[in-house]
Amino acid sequence: MILHVDMDAFYASIEQRDRPELRGRPVVVGGSEGRGVVTAASYEAREYGIHSAMPGSRAIKLCPHADFVRGRLDHYASVGRAVREIFHRFTPVVQPLSLDEAFLDVSGTIRLHGSPREIGNNIRETIRRELDLPASVGIAPLKFVAKIASDIGKPNGFVEVPADGVREFLDPLPVSRLWGVGKVGQTKLQRLGYRTIADLRVKEVEALKSQLGRWGEHLWNLANGIDRRRVVVDHLARGIGHERTFSEDLSDIESLNAVVSYLSEQTARRLRRARRLASTITLKYRREDFQTFSRARKLSAPTDSTLEILQVAEELLLEMRSREPRSVRLLGISLGGLTDADAPKQLNLFGEETGENASSKVDTLSDQIASKLGKHSVYRASSHQWVDRKKDKRQF
């Protein structure tokens, strides 16, 4: 059997846990300056229609008395690792989807830890006891059914779907519950007369294929409880990144370079802390009119060097500015193609001569200082304009 464990309003719940005066109140993480975007909303805030990815200005209008707090991504990641450690106490077969949710295959640990229901209850209780956070659990023989089950039970839910009860569970649900059906897909399906999963299940597969192509066959399989996807252990994160939305659009290259410098430093530090190397660097670039672009560059060799990441990021920024010179609303830096830092790699015979060792020592020292005194205790001179600006406006 497969478990899907999903932390409830993870970021907001952490804030409510750490600050008891926020418990029971509408809490919004991010978006406090109006130009930012909501990162997470407590269930009390969701009652007012606030949700993640919503513009902060809209969230403020919906609930002016909500408590807006600045996100603490490093802290959330630390708590996420603690949650992941609890998962691994019950099974080694864990497939993380994000910081706050994962699939677990408990088929091989039933003799050790009890039935899937007992394991699910124990995981939820352990998270509550040790971390003082709520979680929802879905149990089913199929991945997508386990995810639907945990979503339906939120918050603090527990839903088990037995192997012989998949059809009964799925049939009355709206088609929007199926993987791959978003708002556009839901509208299209409803226009064709498909409103519930049962409507898709009873249809001939060839008829769905003629209407919807391969997507129709995919939906028919899910509606009939056919899903061959297994829980896959994900040893490496797919990517690490940081981005910032500005309270005022930026257009001067000095300010933009300062932002890129800051983001590169923070992203590289997270990369080293995770003991990973990156082989691809991507710049995310959103104009004032919300048009979003990205440019990526593959490196000749994987790296965790702040200097190397920064140099490439600055080159990507210059390329983007020449193509899209309008004012900028958001910048982001992400690192992909991650590999284990302990993996064998080709050494540079001229490392000392090119300054690579000196750069590595600077990274090591800055990491040590940041771990003791905070991420804003040490940073490159090129980041100063942005760090100083954000400290003044309290937008970190």
Side-chain angles (χ1 to χ4, degrees):
M1 293 290 279
I2 296 171
L3 274 64
H4 180 260
V5 185
D6 197 354
M7 305 299 293
D8 298 327
F10 188 46
Y11 296 176
S13 293
I14 292 174
E15 296 298 339
Q16 289 177 316
R17 179 199 68 179
D18 294 350
R19 297 171 57 186
E21 71 274 15
L22 296 179
R23 294 189 178 186
R25 291 186 52 78
V27 174
V28 180
V29 179
S32 59
E33 298 299 326
R35 287 293 303 273
V37 175
V38 173
T39 304
S42 68
Y43 281 93
E44 294 86 354
R46 295 181 191 186
E47 292 178 3
Y48 293 87
I50 299 174
H51 56 78
S52 61
M54 170 182 286
S57 56
R58 174 64 175 160
I60 291 172
K61 290 180 181 178
L62 289 173
C63 188
H65 64 281
D67 293 294
F68 286 80
V69 299
R70 272 176 270 160
R72 300 180 290 162
L73 293 182
D74 288 344
H75 181 50
Y76 305 150
S78 176
V79 179
R81 287 191 291 272
V83 172
R84 193 81 49 82
E85 189 275 329
I86 291 174
F87 293 162
H88 281 279
R89 296 181 199 175
F90 294 89
T91 176
V93 188
V94 177
Q95 181 180 353
L97 300 181
S98 62
L99 276 179
D100 59 348
E101 66 174 317
F103 286 112
L104 292 73
D105 188 335
V106 299
S107 304
T109 59
I110 290 176
R111 289 187 179 181
L112 183 63
H113 295 295
S115 69
R117 186 177 188 84
E118 290 173 317
I119 294 173
N121 271 319
N122 286 337
I123 288 175
R124 192 172 60 157
E125 174 58 25
T126 302
I127 292 173
R128 186 203 62 77
R129 183 179 65 252
E130 296 186 9
L131 303 178
D132 192 20
L133 291 171
S136 292
V137 175
I139 306 174
L142 304 173
K143 286 177 73 173
F144 87 95
V145 179
K147 179 168 175 56
I148 292 174
S150 69
D151 289 342
I152 284 178
K154 281 181 164 292
N156 200 31
F158 190 95
V159 177
E160 181 177 14
V161 181
D164 59 356
V166 171
R167 177 179 296 182
E168 182 181 358
F169 173 74
L170 292 177
D171 272 357
L173 299 179
V175 292
S176 59
R177 287 287 184 179
L178 292 176
W179 270 354
V181 180
K183 289 184 178 180
V184 175
Q186 181 182 3
T187 300
K188 184 175 183 178
L189 290 172
Q190 288 181 343
R191 194 164 53 241
L192 292 172
Y194 304 117
R195 287 177 169 77
T196 68
I197 294 178
D199 294 335
L200 293 169
R201 180 179 60 80
V202 299
K203 192 75 172 181
E204 291 291 334
V205 63
E206 292 303 324
L208 278 176
K209 287 173 66 176
S210 66
Q211 289 179 316
L212 303 168
R214 294 182 62 184
W215 187 49
E217 182 178 11
H218 166 75
L219 296 178
W220 186 89
N221 283 331
L222 295 183
N224 281 272
I226 301 172
D227 182 13
R228 296 182 176 85
R229 287 169 290 192
R230 297 290 178 259
V231 178
V232 178
V233 178
D234 187 4
H235 293 289
L236 296 175
R238 290 188 177 91
I240 291 175
H242 272 285
E243 62 183 42
R244 285 293 181 270
T245 300
F246 313 135
S247 60
E248 300 173 354
D249 297 327
L250 300 181
S251 58
D252 63 290
I253 192 62
E254 292 81 8
S255 296
L256 293 172
N257 270 327
V259 177
V260 165
S261 177
Y262 169 79
L263 294 175
S264 296
E265 284 189 283
Q266 300 307 312
T267 307
R269 187 169 292 146
R270 284 181 57 199
L271 184 73
R272 291 189 294 273
R273 189 165 58 240
R275 298 193 58 77
R276 302 289 183 258
L277 301 174
S279 58
T280 303
I281 299 171
T282 301
L283 172 76
K284 182 178 178 181
Y285 184 98
R286 180 170 295 159
R287 295 189 325 204
E288 58 185 344
D289 60 353
F290 287 87
Q291 288 288 314
T292 304
F293 307 88
S294 65
R295 289 187 70 82
R297 180 164 302 168
K298 187 172 179 59
L299 305 176
S300 58
T303 187
D304 62 3
S305 165
T306 298
L307 180 60
E308 188 170 355
I309 292 169
L310 173 57
Q311 288 173 339
V312 173
E314 288 178 336
E315 292 171 5
L316 293 174
L317 175 64
L318 287 175
E319 292 174 11
M320 188 61 74
R321 288 300 289 163
S322 66
R323 293 169 52 128
E324 305 292 340
R326 294 175 60 168
S327 296
V328 183
R329 178 184 178 88
L330 172 149
L331 282 177
I333 298 294
S334 60
L335 308 177
L338 304 188
T339 56
D340 196 318
D342 296 326
K345 57 185 177 181
Q346 179 67 46
L347 297 178
N348 187 340
L349 206 57
F350 306 101
E352 287 281 0
E353 194 172 313
T354 59
E356 290 180 10
N357 287 351
S359 176
S360 177
K361 290 177 181 178
V362 169
D363 286 339
T364 300
L365 182 59
S366 66
D367 290 349
Q368 291 172 347
I369 295 174
S371 66
K372 293 181 179 180
L373 302 179
K375 65 180 181 180
H376 300 141
S377 58
V378 57
Y379 47 85
R380 277 173 160 74
S382 55
S383 302
H384 177 73
Q385 182 178 343
W386 172 251
V387 174
D388 191 54
R389 172 192 182 110
K390 302 305 279 182
K391 282 181 178 177
D392 288 343
K393 295 191 175 183
R394 296 184 61 81
Q395 292 178 358
F396 278 113

